[in-house]
Amino acid sequence: MTHPRPSSPSPAPDPRWAEVDAYFAATVAPVDDALTAALADSAAAGLPAISVAPNQGKLLRLLALTQGARAILEIGTLGGYSTIWLARALPADGRLVTLESDPARADVARANLARAGLDRLVEIRTGAALDTLPLLETEGAGPFDLVFIDADKVNNPRYTEWALRLSRPGTLIIVDNVVRDGKILVPDPDDPAVTGTRELFELVAREPRLDATALQTVGAKGYDGLLIARVTD
């Protein structure tokens, strides 16, 4: 059995990471006024600058389009930036349910989605996701074709379990921020985000209904990565 190597200090971000992201955004993932304003208004409201980068948002949209997604679940709304990217992949009769624990953040997201002309496609549910997800199941809100998880990392395993319950064979589940600047390598009881993310990988590895991979990324958001899993049955 192999064991993770001891952690080492993370390298300083290379300025080229952000420069390459900017080049990608300018060429193949350009943003428009609604996306730019969503980030600006989120910053003005004091929201943390942790939204996905434009090229990552474009990836979410392309994955949703490839899925032919008609129903999307997002766990973690923030200011609605990733929500806009995802909702733009939906057909006219599609729907996106996004869960946000903070009412103030949800208000910012509602305004951003309305300005983008997507408010009729998107429903923002406010409250702790682990309280809201059982309600979605009771209401028969699923199955969802794509689930994007980008919320508090300590609950990533629980969110993924709920995503599986609200899915169908073929559903795509995407979990963001799984590399943790390389800290994922070593258990750290003092870092609940690392603990939760390692539990996520252990869950996915033993779950026969999930076929998954994970990728490391560098860019404007630093050194991180994402997990992508497909529900098989």
Side-chain angles (χ1 to χ4, degrees), residues 195-215:
T195 300
T197 305
R198 286 178 65 91
E199 290 176 2
L200 163 70
F201 276 94
E202 292 162 6
L203 165 70
V204 172
R206 66 174 181 265
E207 174 53 67
R209 292 170 294 171
L210 292 176
D211 187 12
T213 191
L215 300 173

PDB file of all heavy atoms in Angstrom, residues 195-215:
ATOM      1  N   THR A 195     -10.118  17.600   5.218  1.00  0.00           N
ATOM      2  CA  THR A 195     -10.754  16.379   5.728  1.00  0.00           C
ATOM      3  C   THR A 195     -11.984  16.023   4.907  1.00  0.00           C
ATOM      4  O   THR A 195     -12.169  14.873   4.488  1.00  0.00           O
ATOM      5  CB  THR A 195     -11.141  16.553   7.203  1.00  0.00           C
ATOM      6  OG1 THR A 195      -9.960  16.825   7.970  1.00  0.00           O
ATOM      7  CG2 THR A 195     -11.816  15.308   7.738  1.00  0.00           C
ATOM      8  N   GLY A 196     -12.838  17.006   4.664  1.00  0.00           N
ATOM      9  CA  GLY A 196     -14.054  16.755   3.896  1.00  0.00           C
ATOM     10  C   GLY A 196     -13.763  16.338   2.472  1.00  0.00           C
ATOM     11  O   GLY A 196     -14.444  15.473   1.907  1.00  0.00           O
ATOM     12  N   THR A 197     -12.729  16.936   1.875  1.00  0.00           N
ATOM     13  CA  THR A 197     -12.412  16.608   0.495  1.00  0.00           C
ATOM     14  C   THR A 197     -11.815  15.211   0.387  1.00  0.00           C
ATOM     15  O   THR A 197     -12.115  14.460  -0.556  1.00  0.00           O
ATOM     16  CB  THR A 197     -11.460  17.661  -0.094  1.00  0.00           C
ATOM     17  OG1 THR A 197     -12.048  18.963   0.064  1.00  0.00           O
ATOM     18  CG2 THR A 197     -11.212  17.408  -1.564  1.00  0.00           C
ATOM     19  N   ARG A 198     -10.969  14.828   1.335  1.00  0.00           N
ATOM     20  CA  ARG A 198     -10.445  13.463   1.327  1.00  0.00           C
ATOM     21  C   ARG A 198     -11.576  12.446   1.540  1.00  0.00           C
ATOM     22  O   ARG A 198     -11.591  11.382   0.918  1.00  0.00           O
ATOM     23  CB  ARG A 198      -9.367  13.314   2.396  1.00  0.00           C
ATOM     24  CG  ARG A 198      -8.051  14.005   2.026  1.00  0.00           C
ATOM     25  CD  ARG A 198      -7.019  13.877   3.140  1.00  0.00           C
ATOM     26  NE  ARG A 198      -6.627  12.495   3.348  1.00  0.00           N
ATOM     27  CZ  ARG A 198      -5.610  11.894   2.738  1.00  0.00           C
ATOM     28  NH1 ARG A 198      -4.886  12.545   1.840  1.00  0.00           N
ATOM     29  NH2 ARG A 198      -5.306  10.637   3.005  1.00  0.00           N
ATOM     30  N   GLU A 199     -12.524  12.767   2.402  1.00  0.00           N
ATOM     31  CA  GLU A 199     -13.678  11.884   2.592  1.00  0.00           C
ATOM     32  C   GLU A 199     -14.484  11.771   1.304  1.00  0.00           C
ATOM     33  O   GLU A 199     -15.032  10.706   0.985  1.00  0.00           O
ATOM     34  CB  GLU A 199     -14.558  12.399   3.725  1.00  0.00           C
ATOM     35  CG  GLU A 199     -13.937  12.261   5.108  1.00  0.00           C
ATOM     36  CD  GLU A 199     -14.804  12.872   6.187  1.00  0.00           C
ATOM     37  OE1 GLU A 199     -15.913  13.371   5.864  1.00  0.00           O
ATOM     38  OE2 GLU A 199     -14.376  12.876   7.361  1.00  0.00           O
ATOM     39  N   LEU A 200     -14.554  12.871   0.558  1.00  0.00           N
ATOM     40  CA  LEU A 200     -15.236  12.837  -0.739  1.00  0.00           C
ATOM     41  C   LEU A 200     -14.585  11.823  -1.670  1.00  0.00           C
ATOM     42  O   LEU A 200     -15.275  10.997  -2.293  1.00  0.00           O
ATOM     43  CB  LEU A 200     -15.190  14.233  -1.369  1.00  0.00           C
ATOM     44  CG  LEU A 200     -15.477  14.311  -2.872  1.00  0.00           C
ATOM     45  CD1 LEU A 200     -16.943  14.020  -3.148  1.00  0.00           C
ATOM     46  CD2 LEU A 200     -15.063  15.664  -3.425  1.00  0.00           C
ATOM     47  N   PHE A 201     -13.260  11.866  -1.784  1.00  0.00           N
ATOM     48  CA  PHE A 201     -12.573  10.930  -2.673  1.00  0.00           C
ATOM     49  C   PHE A 201     -12.758   9.487  -2.216  1.00  0.00           C
ATOM     50  O   PHE A 201     -12.930   8.578  -3.041  1.00  0.00           O
ATOM     51  CB  PHE A 201     -11.080  11.280  -2.758  1.00  0.00           C
ATOM     52  CG  PHE A 201     -10.790  12.347  -3.769  1.00  0.00           C
ATOM     53  CD1 PHE A 201     -10.717  13.677  -3.390  1.00  0.00           C
ATOM     54  CD2 PHE A 201     -10.600  12.034  -5.105  1.00  0.00           C
ATOM     55  CE1 PHE A 201     -10.453  14.673  -4.324  1.00  0.00           C
ATOM     56  CE2 PHE A 201     -10.341  13.017  -6.046  1.00  0.00           C
ATOM     57  CZ  PHE A 201     -10.270  14.347  -5.656  1.00  0.00           C
ATOM     58  N   GLU A 202     -12.732   9.267  -0.914  1.00  0.00           N
ATOM     59  CA  GLU A 202     -12.943   7.914  -0.404  1.00  0.00           C
ATOM     60  C   GLU A 202     -14.354   7.429  -0.723  1.00  0.00           C
ATOM     61  O   GLU A 202     -14.558   6.262  -1.088  1.00  0.00           O
ATOM     62  CB  GLU A 202     -12.682   7.901   1.107  1.00  0.00           C
ATOM     63  CG  GLU A 202     -11.210   8.137   1.456  1.00  0.00           C
ATOM     64  CD  GLU A 202     -11.004   8.554   2.899  1.00  0.00           C
ATOM     65  OE1 GLU A 202     -12.004   8.549   3.666  1.00  0.00           O
ATOM     66  OE2 GLU A 202      -9.859   8.902   3.266  1.00  0.00           O
ATOM     67  N   LEU A 203     -15.329   8.308  -0.592  1.00  0.00           N
ATOM     68  CA  LEU A 203     -16.711   7.966  -0.922  1.00  0.00           C
ATOM     69  C   LEU A 203     -16.839   7.600  -2.400  1.00  0.00           C
ATOM     70  O   LEU A 203     -17.426   6.571  -2.755  1.00  0.00           O
ATOM     71  CB  LEU A 203     -17.626   9.143  -0.595  1.00  0.00           C
ATOM     72  CG  LEU A 203     -19.036   9.108  -1.189  1.00  0.00           C
ATOM     73  CD1 LEU A 203     -19.869   8.017  -0.531  1.00  0.00           C
ATOM     74  CD2 LEU A 203     -19.722  10.463  -1.047  1.00  0.00           C
ATOM     75  N   VAL A 204     -16.291   8.445  -3.266  1.00  0.00           N
ATOM     76  CA  VAL A 204     -16.413   8.212  -4.703  1.00  0.00           C
ATOM     77  C   VAL A 204     -15.687   6.929  -5.098  1.00  0.00           C
ATOM     78  O   VAL A 204     -16.165   6.153  -5.934  1.00  0.00           O
ATOM     79  CB  VAL A 204     -15.873   9.428  -5.486  1.00  0.00           C
ATOM     80  CG1 VAL A 204     -15.804   9.124  -6.976  1.00  0.00           C
ATOM     81  CG2 VAL A 204     -16.759  10.649  -5.237  1.00  0.00           C
ATOM     82  N   ALA A 205     -14.541   6.669  -4.468  1.00  0.00           N
ATOM     83  CA  ALA A 205     -13.761   5.483  -4.815  1.00  0.00           C
ATOM     84  C   ALA A 205     -14.495   4.191  -4.483  1.00  0.00           C
ATOM     85  O   ALA A 205     -14.340   3.187  -5.187  1.00  0.00           O
ATOM     86  CB  ALA A 205     -12.420   5.516  -4.086  1.00  0.00           C
ATOM     87  N   ARG A 206     -15.301   4.208  -3.442  1.00  0.00           N
ATOM     88  CA  ARG A 206     -15.982   2.965  -3.057  1.00  0.00           C
ATOM     89  C   ARG A 206     -17.423   2.885  -3.557  1.00  0.00           C
ATOM     90  O   ARG A 206     -18.085   1.870  -3.377  1.00  0.00           O
ATOM     91  CB  ARG A 206     -15.989   2.814  -1.536  1.00  0.00           C
ATOM     92  CG  ARG A 206     -16.808   3.837  -0.775  1.00  0.00           C
ATOM     93  CD  ARG A 206     -16.870   3.536   0.714  1.00  0.00           C
ATOM     94  NE  ARG A 206     -17.684   4.510   1.425  1.00  0.00           N
ATOM     95  CZ  ARG A 206     -17.204   5.583   2.044  1.00  0.00           C
ATOM     96  NH1 ARG A 206     -15.898   5.813   2.046  1.00  0.00           N
ATOM     97  NH2 ARG A 206     -18.021   6.431   2.655  1.00  0.00           N
ATOM     98  N   GLU A 207     -17.907   3.940  -4.207  1.00  0.00           N
ATOM     99  CA  GLU A 207     -19.296   3.974  -4.667  1.00  0.00           C
ATOM    100  C   GLU A 207     -19.385   3.354  -6.064  1.00  0.00           C
ATOM    101  O   GLU A 207     -18.897   3.933  -7.040  1.00  0.00           O
ATOM    102  CB  GLU A 207     -19.809   5.417  -4.690  1.00  0.00           C
ATOM    103  CG  GLU A 207     -21.191   5.594  -5.294  1.00  0.00           C
ATOM    104  CD  GLU A 207     -22.236   4.690  -4.677  1.00  0.00           C
ATOM    105  OE1 GLU A 207     -22.552   4.869  -3.496  1.00  0.00           O
ATOM    106  OE2 GLU A 207     -22.721   3.787  -5.412  1.00  0.00           O
ATOM    107  N   PRO A 208     -20.002   2.177  -6.198  1.00  0.00           N
ATOM    108  CA  PRO A 208     -20.023   1.499  -7.500  1.00  0.00           C
ATOM    109  C   PRO A 208     -20.853   2.223  -8.558  1.00  0.00           C
ATOM    110  O   PRO A 208     -20.700   1.946  -9.750  1.00  0.00           O
ATOM    111  CB  PRO A 208     -20.619   0.128  -7.167  1.00  0.00           C
ATOM    112  CG  PRO A 208     -21.416   0.340  -5.917  1.00  0.00           C
ATOM    113  CD  PRO A 208     -20.676   1.384  -5.145  1.00  0.00           C
ATOM    114  N   ARG A 209     -21.705   3.147  -8.131  1.00  0.00           N
ATOM    115  CA  ARG A 209     -22.552   3.840  -9.098  1.00  0.00           C
ATOM    116  C   ARG A 209     -21.875   5.069  -9.699  1.00  0.00           C
ATOM    117  O   ARG A 209     -22.487   5.760 -10.532  1.00  0.00           O
ATOM    118  CB  ARG A 209     -23.865   4.250  -8.440  1.00  0.00           C
ATOM    119  CG  ARG A 209     -24.766   3.086  -8.062  1.00  0.00           C
ATOM    120  CD  ARG A 209     -25.920   3.560  -7.208  1.00  0.00           C
ATOM    121  NE  ARG A 209     -25.452   4.049  -5.915  1.00  0.00           N
ATOM    122  CZ  ARG A 209     -26.217   4.686  -5.018  1.00  0.00           C
ATOM    123  NH1 ARG A 209     -27.482   4.939  -5.314  1.00  0.00           N
ATOM    124  NH2 ARG A 209     -25.701   5.067  -3.865  1.00  0.00           N
ATOM    125  N   LEU A 210     -20.643   5.358  -9.289  1.00  0.00           N
ATOM    126  CA  LEU A 210     -19.945   6.533  -9.797  1.00  0.00           C
ATOM    127  C   LEU A 210     -18.677   6.133 -10.544  1.00  0.00           C
ATOM    128  O   LEU A 210     -17.879   5.341 -10.052  1.00  0.00           O
ATOM    129  CB  LEU A 210     -19.587   7.482  -8.644  1.00  0.00           C
ATOM    130  CG  LEU A 210     -20.756   8.180  -7.957  1.00  0.00           C
ATOM    131  CD1 LEU A 210     -20.253   9.009  -6.774  1.00  0.00           C
ATOM    132  CD2 LEU A 210     -21.526   9.062  -8.928  1.00  0.00           C
ATOM    133  N   ASP A 211     -18.517   6.692 -11.731  1.00  0.00           N
ATOM    134  CA  ASP A 211     -17.317   6.524 -12.542  1.00  0.00           C
ATOM    135  C   ASP A 211     -16.676   7.899 -12.618  1.00  0.00           C
ATOM    136  O   ASP A 211     -17.263   8.819 -13.203  1.00  0.00           O
ATOM    137  CB  ASP A 211     -17.704   6.007 -13.927  1.00  0.00           C
ATOM    138  CG  ASP A 211     -16.502   5.643 -14.772  1.00  0.00           C
ATOM    139  OD1 ASP A 211     -15.396   5.575 -14.217  1.00  0.00           O
ATOM    140  OD2 ASP A 211     -16.687   5.415 -15.985  1.00  0.00           O
ATOM    141  N   ALA A 212     -15.483   8.056 -12.014  1.00  0.00           N
ATOM    142  CA  ALA A 212     -14.985   9.411 -11.780  1.00  0.00           C
ATOM    143  C   ALA A 212     -13.526   9.577 -12.163  1.00  0.00           C
ATOM    144  O   ALA A 212     -12.766   8.612 -12.299  1.00  0.00           O
ATOM    145  CB  ALA A 212     -15.165   9.773 -10.306  1.00  0.00           C
ATOM    146  N   THR A 213     -13.141  10.825 -12.306  1.00  0.00           N
ATOM    147  CA  THR A 213     -11.745  11.218 -12.406  1.00  0.00           C
ATOM    148  C   THR A 213     -11.600  12.583 -11.746  1.00  0.00           C
ATOM    149  O   THR A 213     -12.590  13.223 -11.367  1.00  0.00           O
ATOM    150  CB  THR A 213     -11.258  11.256 -13.859  1.00  0.00           C
ATOM    151  OG1 THR A 213      -9.831  11.389 -13.869  1.00  0.00           O
ATOM    152  CG2 THR A 213     -11.876  12.411 -14.628  1.00  0.00           C
ATOM    153  N   ALA A 214     -10.359  13.033 -11.588  1.00  0.00           N
ATOM    154  CA  ALA A 214     -10.089  14.351 -11.028  1.00  0.00           C
ATOM    155  C   ALA A 214      -8.915  14.972 -11.761  1.00  0.00           C
ATOM    156  O   ALA A 214      -8.023  14.261 -12.250  1.00  0.00           O
ATOM    157  CB  ALA A 214      -9.796  14.256  -9.527  1.00  0.00           C
ATOM    158  N   LEU A 215      -8.933  16.282 -11.856  1.00  0.00           N
ATOM    159  CA  LEU A 215      -7.903  17.014 -12.589  1.00  0.00           C
ATOM    160  C   LEU A 215      -7.332  18.122 -11.718  1.00  0.00           C
ATOM    161  O   LEU A 215      -8.072  18.807 -11.010  1.00  0.00           O
ATOM    162  CB  LEU A 215      -8.492  17.635 -13.861  1.00  0.00           C
ATOM    163  CG  LEU A 215      -9.107  16.689 -14.898  1.00  0.00           C
ATOM    164  CD1 LEU A 215      -9.792  17.500 -15.991  1.00  0.00           C
ATOM    165  CD2 LEU A 215      -8.034  15.790 -15.488  1.00  0.00           C
TER     166      LEU A 215
END
